[in-house]
């Protein structure tokens, strides 16, 4: 299967060509990490508003949940598409487009007083979800090899940092200001991130050009929407309902047809032959179950914190307290990013990923005994955050070590998508468990304490499964050449090698 030759970008970027110096490199990393945090903030923005959304938007509770579902679906569709477009036409260009969508969506939400415009705005916000994958890919193109591991680990951690810090900030604003202020704040931070990217981040010199795979994009988008819609709405519709089963069946059929198309396409949206390489395949599988494992805690802790103390296991706290309890996890993820990079350099990213999985499993194990007080929940969340920080820092290195340089953004976007699917499945599984394991409190069914423990136990099991997938990764780091002479196309250099290297060889 041939691929259009990679070609240099135009000189429209703000920075001079060549590897940036230390100050320029630091600035690029800081700006990209900030952009990742801004996008992650958007994802937690409406959580404090969820109980009030039906009243605020004059909608039913089931309809109001589409404010979450719309963002999930839009992000799942946009992430792989934007990644491929970034490889073809410029990663910085698509990064700016994604941030523009975030700003536009935030403004639409800020001006909304009913459900329809809110859903439009949340959909536009969700379409910015590819920023983190694009940022990691830009780092591969722009940074010297010795800086790459630490920078990509920090960029990966920005997802957790933004999510953890966004919750208390959003809760505080929701308690003391009109709810529209949340979205104006999101728009403002998006504008700042966009201005910084324009000023600091250069355009990538690596592009593939070629023709965009419209059929492949449509097929993958259809399959993802059907799959994630069934997962996210299955509990409300009924897991055995015709609607849920029909969507799942459609997802399977479309995915099979899409895979057949992609294998025959000259310039596919996703190079399936690359994704089944051992290093890419098992990294993506680990990402899938990590997304599941990480989100289990986010589903359990807020409920325990807010349930009445009279239940015997609830702590009777506010949403602001929930945010403050989860915020240290994001800070721990950022603090472990340098450790993840150092461990990957000395022992290899496989060891880092496996270590992170064990730490996450240990954190969930602790939660089975430590969920009675606020400080215990903070401790558990920090342990889990440390493990997630280690693992998320290793995943980009593993992916980029086995894919062509010209497909970096698409490969990182697919890895990000796998985490998102894991998160959606985690939400569905936890919902089923907590709906079935209930206790009566004042005549009202509430999730039972043992239900929470089961969910946390499943999270521990998912982390162990991620460890198992990681154990199948090759030892060391897969190294592919920079150019395939037979086809003249750019392919993967060693992880940490700069994309401007002139090495040649054959696979």
């Amino acid at each position: 299967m041939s691929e259009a030759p990679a070609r240099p970008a135009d000189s429209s970027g703000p920075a001079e060509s060549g590897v940036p110096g230390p100050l320029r490199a630091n600035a690029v990393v800081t700006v990209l990490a900030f952009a990742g945090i801004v996008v992650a903030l958007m994802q937690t923005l409406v959580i404090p508003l969820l109980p009030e959304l039906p009243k605020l938007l004059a909608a039913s509770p089931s309809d109001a949940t589409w404010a979450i579902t719309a963002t999930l679906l839009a992000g799942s569709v946009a992430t792989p598409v934007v990644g491929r477009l970034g490889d073809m036409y410029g990663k910085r260009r698509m990064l700016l487009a994604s941030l523009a969508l975030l700003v536009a969506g935030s403004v639409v939400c800020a001006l909304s007083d009913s459900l329809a415009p809110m859903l439009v705005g949340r959909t536009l916000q969700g379409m910015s979800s590819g920023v983190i994958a694009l940022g990691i890919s830009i780092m591969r193109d722009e940074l010297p090899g010795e800086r790459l591991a630490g920078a990509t680990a920090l960029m990966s951690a920005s997802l957790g940092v933004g999510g953890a810090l966004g919750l208390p900030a959003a809760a505080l604003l929701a308690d003391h200001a009109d709810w529209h202020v949340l979205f104006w704040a999101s728009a403002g931070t998006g504008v700042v991130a966009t201005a910084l990217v324009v000023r600091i981040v250069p355009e990538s010199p690596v592009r593939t050009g070629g023709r965009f795979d419209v059929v492949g994009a449509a097929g993958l988008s259809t399959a993802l929407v059907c799959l994630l819609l069934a997962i996210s709405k299955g509990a409300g519709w009924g897991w055995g309902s015709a609607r849920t089963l029909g969507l799942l069946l459609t997802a399977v059929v479309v995915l099979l047809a899409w895979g057949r198309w992609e294998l025959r396409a000259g310039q596919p949206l996703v190079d399936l032959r690359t994704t089944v390489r051992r290093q890419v395949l098992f990294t993506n599988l680990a990402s899938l179950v990590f997304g599941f494992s990480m989100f289990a805690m986010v589903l359990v802790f807020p409920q325990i914190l807010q349930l009445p103390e009279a239940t015997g296991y609830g702590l009777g706290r506010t949403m602001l307290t929930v945010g403050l309890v989860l915020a240290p996890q994001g800070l721990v993820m950022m603090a472990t990013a340098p450790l993840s990079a150092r461990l990957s350099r000395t022992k290899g990213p496989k060891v880092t990923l496996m270590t992170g999985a064990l730490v996450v499993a240990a954190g969930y194990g602790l939660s089975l005994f430590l969920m009675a007080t606020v400080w215990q929940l903070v401790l558990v969340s920090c342990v889990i955050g440390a493990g997630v920080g280690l693992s998320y820092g290793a995943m980009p290195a593993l992916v980029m070590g086995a894919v062509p340089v010209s497909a970096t953004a698409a490969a990182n976007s697919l890895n990000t998508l796998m985490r998102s699917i894991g998160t959606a499945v985690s939400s569905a599984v936890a919902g089923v468990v907590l709906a079935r394991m209930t206790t009566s409190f004042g005549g009202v069914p509430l999730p039972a304490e043992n239900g929470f423990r089961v969910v946390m136990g499943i999270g521990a099991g998912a982390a162990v499964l991620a460890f198992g997938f990681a154990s199948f990764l090759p030892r060391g780091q897969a190294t592919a050449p920079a150019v395939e002479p037979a086809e003249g196309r750019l392919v993967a250099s060693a992880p940490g090698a700069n994309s401007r290297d002139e090495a040649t060889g054959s696979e």
Side-chain angles (χ1 to χ4, degrees):
M1 179 171 57
S2 63
E3 183 177 335
R7 54 187 173 87
D10 56 39
S11 58
S12 60
E16 67 280 358
S17 61
V19 178
L23 292 179
R24 171 69 70 177
N26 289 338
V28 169
V29 172
T30 301
V31 169
L32 292 175
F34 175 70
I37 290 173
V38 169
V39 170
L41 286 171
M42 170 274 299
Q43 297 178 352
T44 59
L45 202 62
V46 299
I47 292 179
L49 296 177
L50 278 177
E52 302 296 324
L53 272 184
K55 181 176 67 175
L56 295 174
L57 301 176
S60 67
S62 61
D63 287 342
T65 61
W66 280 97
I68 299 291
T69 306
T71 306
L72 170 68
L73 297 179
S76 68
V77 170
T79 298
V81 171
V82 167
R84 178 59 180 153
L85 289 172
D87 285 328
M88 295 176 65
Y89 303 120
K91 303 177 184 71
R92 175 178 176 268
R93 181 174 297 175
M94 297 313 302
L95 180 65
L96 288 171
S98 297
L99 290 172
L101 289 170
L102 172 66
V103 173
S106 299
V107 171
V108 171
C109 290
L111 296 173
S112 298
D113 285 308
S114 60
L115 183 62
M118 173 64 77
L119 295 184
V120 172
R122 290 293 289 168
T123 299
L124 290 172
Q125 285 186 318
M127 292 174 70
S128 68
S129 298
V131 162
I132 292 177
L134 288 168
I136 291 172
S137 303
I138 290 172
M139 288 175 176
R140 185 187 195 186
D141 293 342
E142 295 301 323
L143 300 180
E146 65 272 12
R147 291 293 311 277
L148 186 59
T152 55
L154 180 64
M155 190 71 193
S156 293
S158 68
L159 177 64
V161 174
L165 298 182
L167 191 55
L172 186 63
L173 281 175
D175 285 344
H176 296 89
D178 181 81
W179 65 274
H180 296 89
V181 173
L182 291 173
F183 295 101
W184 286 121
S186 175
T189 54
V191 169
V192 172
T194 302
L196 290 173
V197 170
V198 169
R199 178 67 183 87
I200 302 296
V201 179
E203 182 56 276
S204 166
V206 181
R207 297 188 195 175
T208 64
R211 182 181 299 173
F212 182 69
D213 182 11
V214 176
V215 175
L220 182 60
S221 299
T222 301
L224 288 173
V225 168
C226 291
L227 174 64
L228 294 175
L229 196 55
I231 290 172
S232 60
K233 293 294 185 179
W237 294 341
W239 292 107
S241 69
R243 190 186 309 184
T244 303
L245 294 178
L247 284 170
L248 290 173
L249 179 60
T250 301
V252 171
V253 172
V254 174
L255 273 177
L256 291 174
W258 172 80
R260 183 180 176 86
W261 170 269
E262 292 296 280
L263 288 172
R264 294 185 172 188
Q267 296 173 12
L269 178 73
V270 177
D271 187 346
L272 294 181
R273 291 180 175 84
T274 298
T275 60
V276 296
R277 289 178 181 173
R278 182 176 166 189
Q279 184 156 321
V280 179
L281 175 63
F282 283 104
T283 301
N284 284 335
L285 289 174
S287 298
L288 177 70
V289 292
F290 248 109
F292 183 104
S293 182
M294 185 184 78
F295 204 63
M297 179 199 70
V298 179
L299 293 167
V300 167
F301 282 11
Q303 296 191 63
I304 291 177
L305 284 163
Q306 293 182 92
L307 284 173
E309 291 184 82
T311 59
Y313 53 90
L315 300 179
R317 303 305 174 99
T318 65
M319 177 57 75
L320 178 58
T321 303
V322 172
L324 293 174
V325 168
L326 295 179
Q329 180 200 28
L331 299 177
V332 169
M333 287 180 64
M334 180 168 285
T336 55
L339 176 60
S340 174
R342 191 176 306 116
L343 187 58
S344 292
R345 281 195 301 267
T346 56
K347 302 295 184 181
K350 172 183 177 178
V351 172
T352 308
L353 180 56
M354 294 174 72
T355 303
L358 291 179
V359 173
V360 170
Y364 276 107
L366 283 174
S367 72
L368 300 178
F369 309 98
L370 300 177
M371 287 198 299
T373 63
V374 170
W375 74 264
Q376 291 177 349
L377 297 182
V378 172
L379 173 63
V380 170
S381 69
C382 287
V383 173
I384 294 174
V388 171
L390 287 171
S391 301
Y392 275 17
M395 289 173 187
L398 288 163
V399 170
M400 292 188 295
V403 301
V405 175
S406 55
T408 301
N412 279 318
S413 296
L414 181 62
N415 184 255
T416 301
L417 176 63
M418 296 299 285
R419 297 186 220 173
S420 299
I421 293 174
T423 296
V425 173
S426 176
S427 178
V429 171
V432 170
V433 171
L434 297 179
R436 292 182 176 274
M437 301 183 69
T438 61
T439 185
S440 179
F441 179 75
V444 177
L446 295 176
E449 183 178 16
N450 284 338
F452 292 126
R453 296 188 188 280
V454 168
V455 172
M456 298 299 276
I458 293 173
V464 172
L465 182 58
F467 176 88
F469 284 135
S471 68
F472 286 100
L473 290 166
R475 293 184 179 181
Q477 300 181 3
T479 302
V483 175
E484 280 186 359
E487 299 181 15
R489 63 184 176 92
L490 205 63
V491 297
S493 56
N498 194 281
S499 64
R500 300 178 180 85
D501 292 345
E502 300 294 333
T504 59
S506 60
E507 284 188 338

